[in-house]
Amino acid sequence: LLFSRKGWKTETALSGERALARLAAGGIDVVICDLSMPGMSGLEVLRRVRAMNDQLPFIMMTGVGTIESAVEAVQLGAYSYLTKPVNNAELASLVQRAAEHARLHSQLQDSPRESNSQVSMIYNSPSMKQVLKTIGKVASTSVPILITGETGTGKSRLAEYIHRASALRDKPFLTIDCAALPESLLESELFGHVKGAFTGAISDRNGYFAEANGGTIFLDEVGELPLSTQARLLRVLESGEYIKVGSSKVQKTDVRIVAATNVDFTEAIANGRFREDLYYRLNTVPIKVPALRERPDDIPLLFRKFAADFAEKYRMPAIQLMDDAKQLLVSYTWPGNIRQLKNITEQISIIETNREITAEILRGYLPAQPVSKYPALLGGVKAQ
């Protein structure tokens, strides 16, 4: 009845086996499946559907207390999941978004575009290959993704890569640094405000959830969100609803949330600084970005890319590493990660007249530190 009122045609199957038989015939735009069923489980149905069609939107419904299985469903390729009891309006909205998502993906497949060099990823290490493999599985879903890792590991770049790898690539991608703004301004930026909501609010203003509708919002340093803002964000994640600052009117939005942090959530939750329910919502798909010292195979590749970029920027020949400098570069532990590597590459590119960089030259740009802390990665080589 819910779907028929919207003019949608529905079909039902009393078992997973019957559902698979019907899906094999084609003509279905969205699948809604229960997680727990007699006989074949919802997860098994999902696995077999993915074997037949890896792009068909699949919405899983799950009972309270089975969130781990719902997360597994997302990792297997489910578009999204809902916990019971299901809100009819939320279900209808989700089905509509899923169908639109599938339509956009089909259009993108039919009209291939050039790759965006601004969000290309440079890697050869097994750890980054695993990260990109995970992204490949979940980029086309609508579920939140939480990126963790040390400062300077490239979390913001990875967030944009996720957006560009999805069917939302032509929609807005907006970034907000949750640690950089005071609470009152942060809520106005996210949710917007109405005229007179606070001193200086001389007119109505849309926030990120309005401006990015249909696209992606990247919440950088999400672990620094104030508790009151956390409560409002949780509402958006659960219902797609928000209220502008100073208003009582409920607004609707359809955005994908990608968040990043270097905060230890276990400690933050224990200390009451971060809501546990929001953490589980954001952490539907966790992605941990390895530190640069954990991906030594990538260090020379990144250096070469930065050197080429700065050579073009400053209109000079690119610097090149001699063999001893390469060994030192890889053995260094890079506490500032990729950000530090990029900064040092720029310094050397500007300052050094000799474009062939030896270990002696490189050593002058590397802050002293106890690299022996990582013997397994360094193979016994120490920076002097």
Side-chain angles (χ1 to χ4, degrees), residues 11 18-28 52-53 56:
E11 296 186 34
R18 292 185 181 183
L20 291 170
R22 173 60 189 88
L23 289 169
I28 300 296
M52 292 190 296
N53 184 339
L56 181 63

Side-chain angles (χ1 to χ4, degrees), residues 84 99 216 332:
K84 300 177 184 178
T216 302
Y332 191 69

Side-chain angles (χ1 to χ4, degrees), residues 242-264:
Y242 68 97
I243 298 175
K244 287 185 174 184
V245 176
S247 175
S248 59
K249 182 180 178 181
V250 175
Q251 309 275 349
K252 296 289 290 184
T253 187
D254 177 17
V255 298
R256 201 243 184 93
I257 296 293
V258 178
T261 187
N262 57 9
V263 166
D264 181 348

Side-chain angles (χ1 to χ4, degrees), residues 21 30 41 83 104 117 120 161 214 252-253 296 304 328 335 342 358 370:
V30 180
S41 70
T83 54
L104 286 172
S117 61
S120 61
Y161 179 86
K252 296 289 290 184
T253 187
R304 191 179 306 123
L328 176 58
K342 184 175 182 180
T358 63

Side-chain angles (χ1 to χ4, degrees), residues 124-384:
N124 193 39
S125 61
S127 57
M128 279 305 295
K129 288 179 180 178
Q130 185 59 45
V131 167
L132 273 294
K133 182 179 180 181
T134 300
I135 289 174
K137 291 180 179 179
V138 303
S140 62
T141 70
S142 66
V143 295
I145 292 177
L146 180 62
I147 305 172
T148 59
E150 296 178 9
T151 299
T153 50
K155 297 187 290 295
S156 59
R157 187 180 185 87
L158 197 63
E160 187 172 1
Y161 179 86
I162 292 169
H163 174 75
R164 299 300 176 191
S166 75
L168 307 179
R169 68 188 71 178
D170 292 329
K171 302 295 183 179
F173 175 84
L174 300 182
T175 298
I176 187 164
D177 187 340
C178 301
L181 300 173
E183 181 176 349
S184 57
L185 184 55
L186 178 62
E187 294 207 349
S188 173
E189 287 293 306
L190 284 173
F191 308 109
H193 63 255
V194 297
K195 181 179 179 180
F198 50 84
T199 302
I202 59 176
S203 62
D204 288 2
R205 182 178 182 277
N206 284 332
Y208 278 36
F209 279 105
E211 297 295 334
N213 192 31
T216 302
I217 292 179
F218 173 49
L219 301 175
D220 200 7
E221 302 298 342
V222 71
E224 304 299 331
L225 275 178
L227 283 170
S228 61
T229 310
Q230 291 177 33
R232 300 187 69 174
L233 176 60
L234 181 62
R235 178 179 182 179
V236 178
L237 289 172
E238 291 183 335
S239 65
E241 297 178 346
Y242 68 97
I243 298 175
K244 287 185 174 184
V245 176
S247 175
S248 59
K249 182 180 178 181
V250 175
Q251 309 275 349
K252 296 289 290 184
T253 187
D254 177 17
V255 298
R256 201 243 184 93
I257 296 293
V258 178
T261 187
N262 57 9
V263 166
D264 181 348
F265 274 119
T266 301
E267 179 182 347
I269 292 171
N271 294 336
R273 291 187 290 109
F274 204 88
R275 295 178 60 120
E276 187 173 15
D277 48 3
L278 176 59
Y279 166 70
Y280 285 120
R281 270 292 178 179
L282 291 172
N283 198 45
T284 301
V285 177
I287 294 178
K288 186 178 187 304
V289 185
L292 189 56
R293 63 181 174 273
E294 297 170 352
R295 41 185 294 203
D297 292 347
D298 298 341
I299 296 175
L301 299 177
L302 289 164
F303 182 93
R304 191 179 306 123
K305 174 63 166 63
F306 295 148
D309 289 346
F310 292 127
E312 181 178 358
K313 179 179 179 179
Y314 298 116
R315 298 182 179 181
M316 57 177 62
I319 56 175
Q320 297 183 17
L321 294 174
M322 299 295 97
D323 289 342
D324 59 344
K326 289 180 182 178
Q327 186 179 29
L328 176 58
L329 192 80
V330 173
S331 69
Y332 191 69
T333 58
W334 299 107
N337 291 293
I338 296 175
R339 187 177 298 151
Q340 181 188 15
L341 174 63
K342 184 175 182 180
N343 180 263
I344 287 176
T345 308
E346 183 172 22
Q347 289 179 28
I348 298 173
S349 297
I350 295 172
I351 296 173
E352 296 297 328
T353 55
N354 185 355
R355 310 316 284 172
E356 295 183 344
I357 307 304
T358 63
E360 182 179 0
I361 295 173
L362 177 60
R363 192 174 290 114
Y365 293 88
L366 300 179
Q369 62 164 343
V371 297
S372 57
K373 178 180 178 182
Y374 309 99
L377 292 175
L378 306 185
V381 179
K382 296 183 180 181
Q384 302 298 318

